[in-house]
Amino acid sequence: WDREWYESFQDYRFRLVSMLDELLDHMAADPEYRYFQSDGQAIIWDDYLEIRPERREQVVGFAKEGRLRIGPWYVMPDEFIVSGESLVRNLQTGLRAAARFGTPSRAGFACDIFGHTSQLPQILRGFSIDNAFLWRGVLEKPQGAIFRWQSPDGSEVIAYRFSPRYGYCSYDFLSRKCNQIDRDRDLDEAMTGLRDQLDFEMQRCPTPSFMIFDGGDHMEIEPQTTEILRRANQEFADAELIHSHLDGFVEDLREQRSQITRVIQGELREIGEIGDEGWLIPGVLSSRIHLKQQNARCENELCLWAEPFSTFAALLGVPYPTRYLQVAWRWLLQNQPHDSICGCSIDQVHKDMEYRFDQSRQIAAHVTRDALQAIAARIELPEMGEKDMAVVVFNPSTDPIDGPVDLTLRFPKNLDAVYQEFFGFEPKIGFRLYDADGAEVAYQYVNWRRERVGFRRRRGKFPEGDIRNEVDVTLALRVPAYGYTRLVCRPVKEPTRHIGTMVTDDHTIENEHLQVAVAPNGTLTVKDKRNGQVYERLLTLEDRADIGDGWYHGVAVNDEIHSSIASAADIAVTADGIHKASLKIRVTLQVPDRFEFDSMRRAATPAPLVVTHRITLRRGGDHVE
């Protein structure tokens, strides 16, 4: 069940409610229709009950009886675009949501994900799930239908690979004829298709137990299932068919484990072959790249900032914001189903995603701000003057910081600690910085902005305007891993110059380790001064046609491939001093302004494509930013 894809979430939900209404009615009327596995996702029941709250008791009743199999995922994710932590939280959230109805399913269902990360068995075993149901990323030959899949740490699950003939939709195509829109159900044809599938599955499975999977994208139930099973068990003498569920199939496979001899280790990223429809579809990794960037920002805000620093604040007596963080994660996870985060759905779907990203990020950022303020407020301060400011710098990384970092300092608008150079045209805020030991710290004055408007609100008071002047500085700091350091900013009316340069000429910057030179076309030549190695033509740009879609890069026959190797570039030095040097490179390519599908070629009319690179080299750094 794609929660959103070629229709929006709300449009799909109308279909979901109709389908689950029919399911619940049919399960109540036909006790022999024993089980329904809800696609490994718990969220669909929340979506359903928001519209049908009066049916909650019935859903809970069927779930507690084990007839409705719910979970273990919250949503069916992509495994490569989202972080490993997101996969863990997805299962954690899904199992928690499923447990509100009954005992969660422990079937590792991942039927349509575009390839599988090597750590998935390890993650599944962490939730007491010892199995996986797969399709894409692993081929029928030579693996077969059932094998043992191992993570690099040795964690192992029993894996079932859906059929090479239509994958998880095989039964719906061969027996139910769901792919033939103008054909009505025919029980005799259904039996013929079932017989065909039985022969195929019995041949490909190394165990006595095999599975006929009745499932398909957004597909309603088959009301004649009970009659089909009754007829099959009368007519087919070589097999017994029972209406079961994925957990039940796994129970059989555990008992037959000795017959599962094939072992596969690591990542499953095998591409599809002719005759095997489990295509990998790796083009989604770059579709609508802004969605991937927003997802990463939300994951970083939660995992690197909000959660760890809320934990540290809780050790100081601040209540841990459990529910806020759960809500932030829930908004984020709802953007991680594979047709959503992969960027291969209709525009409305991805428009809806932007709102969810905003909710997750806003909650997490506020949680972070509260935690950092709580920690900062408890830090012991030295004796300070009336205008002095304490500045606390936090490190959200498992690696210590030892080198130049960028800070923005905010000063009151009417601060009188101002000086001017001899020409008197530009007032500058004067200040000195001191580290936690009281030693003065040399800084680089990078940028400043006048009268930035904000507001302050104190408890029990209306908000008031807070106009500040902001100064960007770069200074060398040591900050422990997941720790902080304290600075004191002391405004003064006198110049505080720390003189130095990292600019060699108008297009070259260098430090102790690297030299970076910009060519007239905007490409970089980087020399490693430690070993003499030179890297040339870095940041060369290429523009070519893409006539594909959200899944695939489409290569045009009549293409023109444009390179920036002969383009014009503007080069500007934007920062230079004792701690860093920065360049801005603006490259302009003239490329065809569109692809003309009537003639299947790129247009003859050119249009400017402007790309801006911002290049920074820091004192002591061994890499170019």
Side-chain angles (χ1 to χ4, degrees):
W1 186 269
D2 298 291
R3 193 168 184 254
E4 51 190 10
W5 176 25
Y6 59 80
E7 292 181 342
S8 70
F9 160 66
Q10 297 297 352
D11 283 331
Y12 267 134
R13 181 153 67 171
F14 278 89
R15 297 168 65 177
L16 176 72
V17 170
S18 175
M19 186 267 285
L20 293 182
D21 279 347
E22 180 186 17
L23 168 71
L24 296 176
D25 291 342
H26 192 76
M27 292 183 78
D30 180 7
E32 293 302 306
Y33 192 99
R34 293 187 176 90
Y35 303 108
F36 183 82
Q37 190 98 27
S38 53
D39 195 31
Q41 305 180 73
I43 195 173
I44 66 173
W45 292 102
D46 291 340
D47 294 339
Y48 173 73
L49 292 172
E50 189 174 31
I51 305 300
R52 293 280 191 264
E54 69 276 10
R55 303 200 76 159
R56 175 174 291 274
E57 185 176 346
Q58 187 181 25
V59 172
V60 171
F62 283 142
K64 288 187 173 179
E65 292 172 11
R67 295 183 66 186
L68 284 180
R69 317 296 297 190
I70 302 175
W73 297 98
Y74 182 57
V75 299
M76 193 61 63
D78 180 86
E79 293 175 28
F80 287 95
I81 297 171
V82 308
S83 70
E85 186 64 26
S86 287
L87 297 178
V88 170
R89 300 307 177 96
N90 195 332
L91 285 165
Q92 190 178 54
T93 304
L95 289 167
R96 186 186 298 122
R100 296 200 305 266
F101 302 105
T103 301
S105 170
R106 284 301 205 281
F109 195 57
C111 71
D112 198 26
I113 296 174
F114 304 152
H116 302 282
T117 176
S118 63
Q119 259 70 32
L120 188 60
Q122 181 180 353
I123 292 172
L124 292 173
R125 292 306 297 256
F127 289 94
S128 300
I129 299 171
D130 65 352
N131 61 92
F133 291 86
L134 317 169
W135 181 32
R136 304 183 192 272
V138 57
L139 297 181
E140 180 77 6
K141 297 177 181 179
Q143 278 35 289
I146 303 173
F147 52 90
R148 289 151 56 189
W149 180 26
Q150 293 180 349
S151 282
D153 76 325
S155 299
E156 182 179 285
V157 296
I158 298 173
Y160 172 84
R161 199 266 187 186
F162 284 100
S163 172
R165 303 193 303 175
Y166 313 117
Y168 56 87
C169 298
S170 293
Y171 177 78
D172 284 8
F173 280 27
L174 296 171
S175 293
R176 295 181 60 183
K177 309 297 182 184
C178 296
N179 57 329
Q180 300 180 29
I181 191 169
D182 295 323
R183 293 186 62 175
D184 295 329
R185 291 192 190 97
D186 182 284
L187 203 56
D188 290 333
E189 284 191 346
M191 299 306 297
T192 300
L194 178 57
R195 178 70 259 181
D196 178 26
Q197 196 173 3
L198 278 175
D199 293 337
F200 189 76
E201 290 296 324
M202 291 168 68
Q203 184 272 332
R204 67 189 286 263
C205 290
T207 55
S209 296
F210 59 94
M211 180 171 68
I212 304 295
F213 184 78
D214 179 5
D217 292 2
H218 324 110
M219 189 52 55
E220 291 79 10
I221 66 168
E222 171 52 74
Q224 297 186 81
T225 294
T226 298
E227 174 62 17
I228 291 172
L229 288 173
R230 185 189 61 78
R231 279 190 55 175
N233 284 321
Q234 288 177 345
E235 297 177 15
F236 305 151
D238 55 344
E240 177 191 4
L241 291 178
I242 63 171
H243 194 181
S244 186
H245 46 76
L246 298 180
D247 300 87
F249 182 46
V250 171
E251 289 175 13
D252 284 355
L253 295 183
R254 290 192 195 107
E255 296 175 1
Q256 300 159 14
R257 190 184 194 92
S258 61
Q259 295 170 270
I260 306 173
T261 58
R262 188 173 297 278
V263 177
I264 301 177
Q265 295 178 321
E267 188 175 273
L268 302 183
R269 294 280 283 173
E270 295 176 315
I271 61 174
E273 292 183 350
I274 300 298
D276 187 335
E277 297 188 353
W279 306 297
L280 199 57
I281 318 182
V284 298
L285 295 175
S286 60
S287 291
R288 303 185 194 247
I289 199 68
H290 69 285
L291 299 177
K292 280 70 168 176
Q293 293 170 324
Q294 291 187 62
N295 181 74
R297 277 195 288 270
C298 290
E299 290 176 335
N300 288 343
E301 188 68 49
L302 282 164
C303 296
L304 303 183
W305 286 103
E307 292 187 326
F309 286 98
S310 292
T311 300
F312 303 148
L315 295 174
L316 300 174
V318 179
Y320 189 80
T322 302
R323 286 297 297 156
Y324 279 116
L325 290 168
Q326 288 177 349
V327 171
W329 270 110
R330 192 167 67 240
W331 280 114
L332 178 57
L333 291 172
Q334 288 176 13
N335 274 352
Q336 294 183 348
H338 72 161
D339 286 310
S340 303
I341 195 61
C342 286
C344 52
S345 299
I346 61 171
D347 289 348
Q348 183 63 51
V349 166
H350 301 304
K351 180 180 177 182
D352 294 346
M353 289 175 65
E354 304 228 3
Y355 174 80
R356 297 186 201 121
F357 281 133
D358 286 345
Q359 306 316 300
S360 177
R361 188 177 61 255
Q362 289 172 28
I363 295 171
H366 198 113
V367 167
T368 298
R369 190 160 62 247
D370 286 350
L372 298 185
Q373 288 176 346
I375 296 170
R378 289 162 172 78
I379 293 173
E380 184 178 351
L381 299 179
E383 185 174 340
M384 296 172 60
E386 180 182 352
K387 298 178 182 178
D388 293 353
M389 297 186 301
V391 180
V392 183
V393 182
F394 293 91
N395 176 10
S397 165
T398 55
D399 296 318
I401 292 173
D402 186 2
V405 299
D406 301 329
L407 300 180
T408 296
L409 305 176
R410 303 180 70 239
F411 295 91
K413 174 187 175 183
N414 297 321
L415 183 71
D416 62 357
V418 175
Y419 70 94
Q420 298 192 35
E421 304 296 351
F422 73 94
F423 45 79
F425 296 143
E426 182 182 36
K428 297 168 68 175
I429 297 174
F431 56 91
R432 296 183 183 275
L433 296 176
Y434 300 88
D435 64 19
D437 296 323
E440 185 170 2
V441 180
Y443 63 87
Q444 179 177 335
Y445 211 120
V446 177
N447 200 352
W448 78 294
R449 294 167 295 280
R450 296 181 58 184
E451 299 186 3
R452 309 298 286 184
V453 178
F455 71 90
R456 301 173 67 192
R457 180 186 178 277
R458 299 187 180 185
R459 186 172 179 82
K461 303 291 183 180
F462 286 108
E464 61 178 354
D466 181 30
I467 300 177
R468 298 271 172 161
N469 293 326
E470 296 180 347
V471 179
D472 298 334
V473 298
T474 300
L475 66 163
L477 291 179
R478 290 184 176 181
V479 191
Y482 272 119
Y484 64 86
T485 191
R486 184 202 69 204
L487 297 170
V488 170
C489 177
R490 181 159 299 148
V492 296
K493 289 187 176 182
E494 60 196 36
T496 53
R497 304 185 185 94
H498 305 281
I499 305 302
T501 183
M502 293 172 57
V503 172
T504 304
D505 55 37
D506 57 7
H507 64 283
T508 307
I509 56 179
E510 64 180 299
N511 65 7
E512 304 93 314
H513 306 307
L514 302 174
Q515 182 187 75
V516 183
V518 186
N521 62 6
T523 62
L524 301 185
T525 298
V526 176
K527 179 180 180 181
D528 190 330
K529 296 158 68 174
R530 296 165 295 186
N531 57 21
Q533 178 70 49
V534 176
Y535 306 88
E536 298 180 313
R537 293 183 58 179
L538 304 177
L539 298 184
T540 302
L541 304 174
E542 180 184 272
D543 178 88
R544 64 170 63 204
D546 183 351
I547 60 173
D549 53 24
W551 292 278
Y552 300 100
H553 166 61
V555 179
V557 173
N558 302 323
D559 198 3
E560 295 179 8
I561 301 173
H562 291 252
S563 169
S564 66
I565 198 65
S567 297
D570 302 311
I571 306 168
V573 177
T574 57
D576 180 36
I578 59 174
H579 290 304
K580 75 175 182 182
S582 298
L583 300 172
K584 182 172 72 173
I585 308 168
R586 188 171 179 268
V587 183
T588 303
L589 293 81
Q590 296 294 329
V591 301
D593 67 356
R594 66 191 179 279
F595 191 88
E596 297 177 337
F597 281 91
D598 56 347
S599 61
M600 292 308 293
R601 66 181 61 248
R602 301 192 76 173
T605 52
L609 173 61
V610 181
V611 179
T612 302
H613 304 294
R614 292 176 176 85
I615 309 301
T616 295
L617 190 60
R618 297 179 189 271
R619 180 74 65 191
D622 62 357
H623 65 283
V624 182
E625 299 172 30

